[in-house]
Structures are given as structure tokens and as C-alpha cells.
Amino acid sequence: MAARVAALGGALTTGPADTVRLLLPLAPDVVVMDVRMPELDGIAATRIITGRAGAPRVLVLTTFDLDSYVFDALRAGASGFLLKDVYASELLRGIRVVAAGESVLAPSATRRLVSHYAAAGDGPAVPAPELSGLTGRERGVLTLVAAGLTNAEIADQLGIAVGTVKSHVNALLRKLGLRDRVQATILAYDLGLARPHPPGTVL
């Protein structure tokens, strides 16, 4: 089924709250969000949009490849981050991936995340209290998600069915109050459950 897509950027001059109000009747599956606009902060708008129940997923598309934009967009709840110089085919693929509940990051954004957490050191070795509600299997799946493995790769590594992996992923996202794999990856690094993996890994 085709995804309903809304794009916010360029000439849009409403504030974040008005933007959410305008989006609601459209019921999009994916919002393609610009970061820098005349009067609208795309990061703030992303945070408001993703904070609502049943919210559409947000794919940030920007000209500016800056650390602050990458981290702020993902922490605000964006499910993807791409640069405007991507080919149209890559953008369409990114929209489809995000609409399907997965995440997509520009290679440069992935490198920045790896570099950031590598510079921060190993982090705590003991599981944080936030993870106490997860089963051992769910914690293991979270670690593999943060390492950039797909559901099929996780299933192969753990010797379980892909459907079982999907169930574990959905369960850990629900228990941790997360929207998608990008947020799960960030949390895993923040809590020291995951370690930086080689550049070029796709989340």
C-alpha cells in the first residue's frame, strides 16, 4: 500500500504548533521535514509531531550536514536523516523504509554517531535501570539492533525465526517507550549497552 507523505520546508512560516494542527487532517504516514526554515524550527516541529499518539514518522531532509542537526533530529524522534543531495530514487527508498517502520541514515550521519560514541568512551559496563524491564533475549536483540543488524541477520545469529525477532523488537520498543530502531540504538549507546561499530554500518 502506498504511503501518505507530507513535506514541510522552504516557504512554510507557521510555528511548530500550527504545523501540527495543519498536518492532522492530512493523516500522513511520513513527514519529510526540513531543518532550517524562515520561522519554523524543524527540530522543534519534529519533537511535537512525534510526541503525539499515532504520530506519523519523520524523515529529516536537509542541506546542512552538521553534528547538532543529526543528534537533535534523532533525539527529537526522527526516524531518518538524509541530505538533499541524495538521488530521487534514494529519497523514495528512504520514505518507503521509514513508512515501513524502519530507519534510514545518510552514511555521514552514521559516521558521526559512531565517532560521537567512540569519543565518549566505553560507558558503564552494568545494565542501566531503564533496561530492567527487558528479558535477557530482548536485551540481546537490542544490542544487535544497535549494532546495525537487520531482523533477518539477528534471526540468523540467534537461531530464531524472523517473526520472533520482530516480536522481540516490538516488545522492547514498547517497554522502553521508543518509536523505532534509531531511538533504540541511541538509548543502547547512551546506557553503555552497545559499543561503536565500524563506519559504513547501516542502521
Side-chain angles (χ1 to χ4, degrees), residues 9-10 23 25 40 57 60 63 68 79 88 90 119 130 182 194 196-197 201-202:
L23 278 174
L40 174 65
R57 296 182 178 276
V60 171
T63 305
S68 59
S79 296
E90 294 178 78
E130 290 88 338
V182 165
H197 45 77
T201 303
V202 178

Side-chain angles (χ1 to χ4, degrees), residues 7-13 32-38 40 84:
L8 299 183
L12 190 63
T13 58
V32 179
M33 178 75 73
D34 199 354
V35 173
R36 293 181 61 176
M37 293 174 278
L40 174 65
K84 289 183 178 178

Side-chain angles (χ1 to χ4, degrees), residues 22-95:
L22 292 171
L23 278 174
L24 290 179
L26 302 177
D29 298 303
V30 178
V31 175
V32 179
M33 178 75 73
D34 199 354
V35 173
R36 293 181 61 176
M37 293 174 278
E39 297 179 22
L40 174 65
D41 177 355
I43 302 300
T46 296
R47 187 174 294 110
I48 292 175
I49 290 171
T50 60
R52 300 179 67 91
R57 296 182 178 276
V58 176
L59 172 60
V60 171
L61 185 67
T62 181
T63 305
F64 305 94
D65 187 16
L66 302 176
D67 285 356
S68 59
Y69 287 162
V70 175
F71 295 121
D72 290 349
L74 298 180
R75 291 188 185 283
S79 296
F81 187 98
L82 293 176
L83 299 179
K84 289 183 178 178
D85 62 359
V86 296
Y87 291 110
S89 59
E90 294 178 78
L91 175 57
L92 289 174
R93 176 186 173 277
I95 291 172

Side-chain angles (χ1 to χ4, degrees), residues 82-192:
L82 293 176
L83 299 179
K84 289 183 178 178
D85 62 359
V86 296
Y87 291 110
S89 59
E90 294 178 78
L91 175 57
L92 289 174
R93 176 186 173 277
I95 291 172
R96 292 190 185 101
V97 168
V98 170
E102 300 293 337
S103 307
V104 61
L105 291 179
S108 60
T110 303
R111 288 193 296 271
R112 289 173 187 274
L113 286 173
V114 171
S115 297
H116 171 78
Y117 286 105
D122 287 342
V126 296
E130 290 88 338
L131 303 176
S132 61
L134 301 184
T135 65
R137 176 66 86 185
E138 289 166 353
R139 190 174 299 171
V141 169
L142 174 58
T143 301
L144 295 175
V145 166
L149 274 65
T150 65
N151 286 346
E153 291 168 337
I154 294 173
D156 183 63
Q157 182 158 328
L158 297 180
I160 58 179
V162 173
T164 302
V165 174
K166 290 180 180 178
S167 296
H168 287 316
V169 172
N170 290 336
L172 68 89
L173 292 178
R174 184 182 67 255
K175 290 179 180 180
L176 296 174
L178 304 175
R179 284 179 56 81
D180 52 40
R181 299 166 82 97
V182 165
Q183 288 192 325
T185 297
I186 290 175
L187 180 66
Y189 278 113
D190 282 346
L191 298 181

